[in-house]
């Protein structure tokens, strides 16, 4: 069986890291694409030269022409600009929306059967626009946010409790970052909900709230430290987990920005929800009952995403 083809649209910090991880995990042959000529070619060649040392088999090529992504099984989109200190994800909207229009056209023409994972921010609005610009089926276009937000939450919880990250699960809903809704009663240490851990005296409610706030600000904390860009190792690892679940039909239950058509009371928007990702793309959206406080936080998050989609429509009325 021929290898799968993975197209990375955008070959900056996240794109390069995606290529490296996809190679190390032998997910398939990799095409790096970017408008900056030379960058995708150079990164592809560099990573390919690590393959004899690491012992993985994959072809890595770079291109500045969309024809190179032809027939891709998976496209991971990071094209656009990243945040600098003082910028919010929403500040990127105008520039990155135009980028999504170009990327959508390229995918529509050359990779209409791909599973598409968008990482470009502001995530929930960009993935929504990308699906419309590309015209691909809604279950085949998703946004990466929840896996990253929950990874940050899991790390901070594991450090707080001094337990392995492997034994901490986190359940998050809603938009990326600032309006993320962590569900404490569904986040666990080895199956014990955080709400029980509070009762057991492992953590106070106040301390838990601080950890949640640090998670929400997780991206900004890194932008503040790096000063010249935003996070890339954890975002890349998160998107690779989603791509792997699709390519290997693992049916992982992962929080992703998925198209909602009535689930959770939301219509024609992308919002972070738990999903099953397999060979059929988004095979199922897991709908749970929310309590009053959770529903309020979720509604607030949805309203923030709706505001961004409105801003997109004002710039590109065809999105309506
Ligand atoms: N088409 C293709 N590539 C583009 C385009 C375009 N129209 N516009 C910009 N790019 C490329 C840039 O040349 C650059 O190499 O996208 C790449 C973005 O890389 P970085 O600036 O290093 O950004 P990165 O850290 O990878 O983040 C990318 O993901 O998490 C989000 O907020 C982040 O929106 C940002 C995106």
């Amino acid at each position: 069986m021929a290898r799968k083809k993975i197209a990375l649209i955008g070959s900056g910090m996240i794109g390069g890291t995606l290529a490296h991880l996809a190679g190390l995990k032998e997910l398939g042959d990799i095409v790096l694409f970017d408008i900056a000529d030379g960058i995708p070619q150079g990164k592809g060649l560099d990573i390919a030269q690590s393959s004899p040392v690491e012992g993985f088999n994959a072809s890595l090529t770079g291109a500045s022409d969309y024809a190179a992504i032809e027939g891709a099984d998976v496209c991971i989109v990071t094209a656009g600009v990243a945040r600098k200190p003082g910028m919010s994800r929403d500040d990127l909207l105008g520039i990155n929306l135009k980028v999504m229009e170009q990327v959508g056209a390229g995918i529509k023409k050359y990779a209409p059967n791909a599973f598409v994972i968008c990482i470009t921010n502001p995530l929930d609005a960009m993935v929504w626009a990308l699906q419309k610009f590309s015209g691909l089926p809604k279950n085949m276009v998703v946004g990466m946010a929840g896996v990253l937000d929950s990874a940050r939450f899991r790390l901070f919880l594991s450090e707080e409790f001094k337990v392995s990250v492997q034994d901490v699960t986190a359940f998050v809903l809603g938009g990326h970052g600032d309006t993320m809704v962590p569900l404490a009663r569904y986040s666990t240490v080895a199956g014990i909900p955080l709400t029980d851990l509070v009762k057991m005296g492992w953590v106070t409610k106040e301390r838990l709230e601080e950890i949640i706030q640090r998670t929400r600000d997780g991206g900004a904390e890194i932008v503040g430290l790096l000063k010249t860009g935003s996070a890339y190792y954890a975002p890349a690892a998160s998107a690779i987990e989603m791509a792997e679940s699709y390519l290997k039909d693992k049916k992982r239950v992962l929080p992703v920005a998925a198209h909602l058509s009535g689930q959770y009371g939301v219509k024609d928007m992308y919002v972070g929800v738990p999903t099953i990702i397999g060979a059929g793309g988004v095979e199922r959206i897991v709908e749970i009952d929310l309590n009053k406080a959770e529903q309020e936080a979720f509604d607030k998050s949805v309203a923030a995403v709706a505001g961004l989609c409105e801003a997109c429509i004002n710039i590109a009325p065809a999105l309506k």
Side-chain angles (χ1 to χ4, degrees):
M1 198 173 70
R3 288 184 204 143
K4 298 289 187 186
K5 178 168 174 176
I6 299 153
L8 306 175
I9 304 179
S11 304
M13 300 311 288
I14 301 178
T17 312
L18 286 167
H20 196 195
L21 288 174
L24 288 169
K25 289 180 176 262
E26 289 194 327
L27 292 187
D29 288 335
I30 298 149
V31 176
L32 289 121
F33 172 92
D34 206 288
I35 44 163
D37 193 36
I39 301 278
Q41 293 87 348
K43 288 195 179 184
L45 186 57
D46 187 10
I47 296 167
Q49 289 169 357
S50 77
S51 68
V53 184
E54 297 285 358
F56 66 82
N57 295 285
S59 126
L60 284 115
T61 49
S64 308
D65 181 342
Y66 274 104
I69 73 164
E70 184 156 23
D73 297 287
V74 168
C75 294
I76 310 183
V77 179
T78 59
V81 294
R83 281 196 283 175
K84 303 256 163 25
M87 286 173 92
S88 74
R89 290 187 182 89
D90 301 356
D91 292 336
L92 307 174
L93 187 131
I95 304 171
N96 287 351
L97 184 63
K98 291 204 176 64
V99 176
M100 289 307 104
E101 192 167 5
Q102 295 167 12
V103 174
I107 293 176
K108 182 180 197 166
K109 185 161 179 199
Y110 292 106
N113 298 318
F115 181 58
V116 178
I117 302 170
C118 181
I119 304 184
T120 301
N121 274 314
L123 192 270
D124 307 275
M126 292 301 104
V127 63
W128 173 82
L130 182 64
Q131 188 279 324
K132 292 200 184 245
F133 286 136
S134 70
L136 263 61
K138 297 180 174 100
N139 61 309
M140 293 295 277
V141 181
V142 294
M144 187 293 297
V147 176
L148 173 61
D149 287 331
S150 46
R152 287 176 172 153
F153 194 27
R154 287 169 65 195
L155 173 71
F156 299 150
L157 289 170
S158 82
E159 288 175 345
E160 179 70 16
F161 297 137
K162 300 192 175 46
V163 299
S164 165
V165 288
Q166 285 177 288
D167 295 319
V168 183
T169 66
F171 195 113
V172 298
L173 289 175
H176 186 27
D178 310 346
T179 60
M180 174 198 96
V181 183
L183 295 197
R185 65 197 174 102
Y186 287 122
S187 303
T188 75
V189 173
I192 309 165
L194 290 180
T195 39
D196 284 8
L197 290 164
V198 171
K199 284 185 208 146
M200 287 156 64
W202 278 42
V203 65
T204 62
K205 262 186 148 173
E206 294 69 33
R207 178 68 191 133
L208 188 55
E209 204 39 60
E210 279 171 24
I211 294 171
I212 288 170
Q213 195 53 44
R214 187 175 178 202
T215 306
R216 285 201 184 98
D217 298 337
E221 184 176 356
I222 290 177
V223 171
L225 290 166
L226 294 180
K227 297 183 184 72
T228 52
S230 52
Y232 50 98
Y233 292 113
S238 303
I240 289 290
E241 186 174 53
M242 293 162 64
E244 192 172 14
S245 190
Y246 170 75
L247 289 167
K248 298 185 179 168
D249 193 24
K250 289 176 80 167
K251 305 197 190 295
R252 296 285 314 276
V253 181
L254 298 173
V256 313
H259 183 272
L260 300 183
S261 50
Q263 299 93 337
Y264 290 95
V266 178
K267 281 217 176 89
D268 191 30
M269 267 172 64
Y270 272 79
V271 184
V273 290
T275 62
I276 297 173
I277 304 290
V282 176
E283 296 185 347
R284 184 173 188 167
I285 288 172
V286 182
E287 243 183 312
I288 56 153
D289 282 334
L290 300 178
N291 66 29
K292 194 164 169 280
E294 291 161 352
Q295 187 69 50
E296 277 171 16
F298 184 73
D299 290 347
K300 209 171 134 198
S301 189
V302 170
V305 177
L308 290 176
C309 293
E310 274 302 315
C312 289
I313 291 170
N314 289 337
I315 300 171
L319 286 170
K320 202 157 188 177

